[in-house]
Amino acid sequence: MKFLAITLIVHRPDPMTGVQKTTQDRFREVLDNALLAEELGFDGFGVGERHERPFISSSPAVVLSHLAALTRRIRLFTAVTTLSLLDPVRAYEDYATLDHLSEGRLELIIGKGNGTAQRELFHVTPEDQWDRNAESYEVFRQIWRQDKVTAVTRFRPPLKDAEVWPRPYQQPVRVWHGSATSKESVDLAARHGDPLFSANVTHPIEPYAELIRHYRERWEFYGHDPAKIAVGAGTAGLLVTRTSQEAIEAYRPIFESTLAFQRQFGLPVVFETVEDFVERSSALIGSPQQIIEKVHRYHEHLGHTVLHLHADANGLSEAQHRASLQLFQSEVAPVLRRDIPDPPFAWGPVLPVTEEEPAHA
């Protein structure tokens, strides 16, 4: 199993202190967390894309390019690239450039994105967002694979024998499809034989398990080898301590602050108590053994081989956050790496096949 640390770069007051960092300090925190993730041995670091409050993750390509210069080993993920909002030609230019700068450490998770405010900002409607996402991906995919591209499009000017530069480093970049509840994303991933990343953060496990079952069915419908399926899944929170009691009591005020925030802004409340949240959500809060057992339970339903964890402290102190990540990597990750297989492809750049070098994907 592989492990990613992911941030959506939420920019709001700390759940515990009420203090809101400056924008610059929040970005600095993201950079520090990425360096910590590489130091501790995480396999990837992801940066989300949102174009509305309370996020400041509107330019993941820029953030990841800076991280490419600061890091050496860790793979760099988008989480997610909102192709329903973007011109696929411009998105390709940004990410192909980043892929060269990172020497092939880039992986994309794409999705149509969430939120009314960002749809309105880009004049995207609920009725056309899925068609935009699919069209943008088809064009993006074609540009990455072909030197000259011809495409008849609805949502941007058509292309005829178009050349887009720079040409890619990875051939092609690996693209995961991020999905919370949508069968449209699942079908697009299965059609192209691409891996799926389940959000797995808001609800109990069943709706996500159902979506992944649908993905596996569509994968086989399109004629792909079931052995080549790769699924990733998110988590709703992280706090690893020596005992479950210590973890729950440390997390309780954070949960209650978040619950108050949800109610204040009319957001749906799924879990009413921290005990229910720990038991029925995907949050990994408890002792190392409890975390191991919970990931195994989820794996039985999802079959995932990649897991993402929160890169941000989310109300924990810096010392608590670092200690939790260290304990996860020292006592949880080694067991899960041993027990759960890796994805069915090499964890590295996707490069052309040569006689001396086996295929990476």
Side-chain angles (χ1 to χ4, degrees), residues 40-58:
L40 295 179
F42 278 85
D43 302 291
F45 189 87
V47 175
E49 180 179 339
R50 296 289 189 277
H51 300 270
E52 59 186 338
R53 290 181 181 179
F55 307 97
I56 52 172
S57 51
S58 58

Side-chain angles (χ1 to χ4, degrees), residues 100-115:
H100 278 279
L101 295 174
S102 68
E103 297 183 327
R105 288 190 284 140
L106 175 67
E107 302 208 17
L108 299 180
I109 307 175
I110 69 160
K112 63 92 179 169
N114 295 306

Side-chain angles (χ1 to χ4, degrees), residues 90-315:
R90 191 70 186 94
Y92 167 84
E93 291 172 334
D94 284 342
Y95 285 115
T97 300
L98 167 54
D99 200 33
H100 278 279
L101 295 174
S102 68
E103 297 183 327
R105 288 190 284 140
L106 175 67
E107 302 208 17
L108 299 180
I109 307 175
I110 69 160
K112 63 92 179 169
N114 295 306
T116 301
Q118 65 179 11
R119 280 203 312 266
E120 292 176 350
L121 187 64
F122 288 90
H123 296 279
V124 172
T125 69
E127 293 74 28
D128 69 19
Q129 60 185 346
W130 294 112
D131 290 339
R132 285 178 179 272
N133 185 63
E135 178 183 289
S136 289
Y137 179 56
E138 299 288 353
V139 174
F140 183 91
R141 179 184 176 88
Q142 193 176 350
I143 295 171
W144 208 284
R145 288 164 171 78
Q146 298 176 14
D147 292 340
K148 292 186 177 182
V149 175
T150 296
V152 178
T153 53
R154 287 175 55 198
F155 301 109
R156 60 146 287 126
L159 301 170
K160 182 171 177 58
D161 293 330
E163 296 182 0
V164 188
W165 298 91
R167 297 312 301 146
Y169 183 91
Q170 295 189 86
Q171 300 182 29
V173 69
R174 182 172 294 111
V175 177
W176 301 68
H177 295 249
S179 177
T181 58
S182 64
K183 289 186 175 181
E184 289 88 345
S185 293
V186 165
D187 191 78
L188 188 63
R191 188 188 323 157
H192 288 294
D194 294 331
L196 181 72
F197 217 107
S198 170
N200 192 42
V201 296
T202 306
H203 302 284
I205 192 171
E206 184 49 40
Y208 305 112
E210 174 59 31
L211 208 63
I212 291 173
R213 286 193 290 268
H214 180 69
Y215 169 66
R216 294 178 185 277
E217 292 169 2
R218 298 305 291 171
W219 180 278
E220 294 195 40
F221 172 83
Y222 287 114
H224 302 301
D225 181 356
K228 294 185 177 180
I229 283 177
V231 172
T235 55
L238 176 71
L239 178 56
V240 191
T241 60
R242 285 296 169 193
T243 68
S244 61
Q245 295 83 359
E246 180 185 353
I248 289 176
E249 290 313 308
Y251 204 85
R252 185 183 304 278
I254 298 171
F255 174 83
E256 291 175 350
S257 174
T258 302
L259 188 64
F261 177 83
Q262 291 172 329
R263 287 174 171 155
Q264 178 183 353
F265 289 93
L267 301 174
V269 172
V270 179
F271 306 102
E272 295 280 354
T273 67
V274 68
E275 287 81 7
D276 190 34
F277 180 66
V278 170
E279 176 63 27
R280 294 196 304 122
S281 83
S282 62
L284 302 180
I285 298 169
S287 68
Q289 186 58 38
Q290 286 175 309
I291 303 303
I292 291 167
E293 291 172 0
K294 189 168 191 178
V295 173
H296 272 291
R297 290 200 306 273
Y298 267 72
H299 178 72
E300 290 174 4
H301 291 278
L302 306 180
H304 58 310
T305 54
V306 179
L307 183 71
H308 92 49
L309 307 170
H310 287 204
D312 300 313
N314 293 325

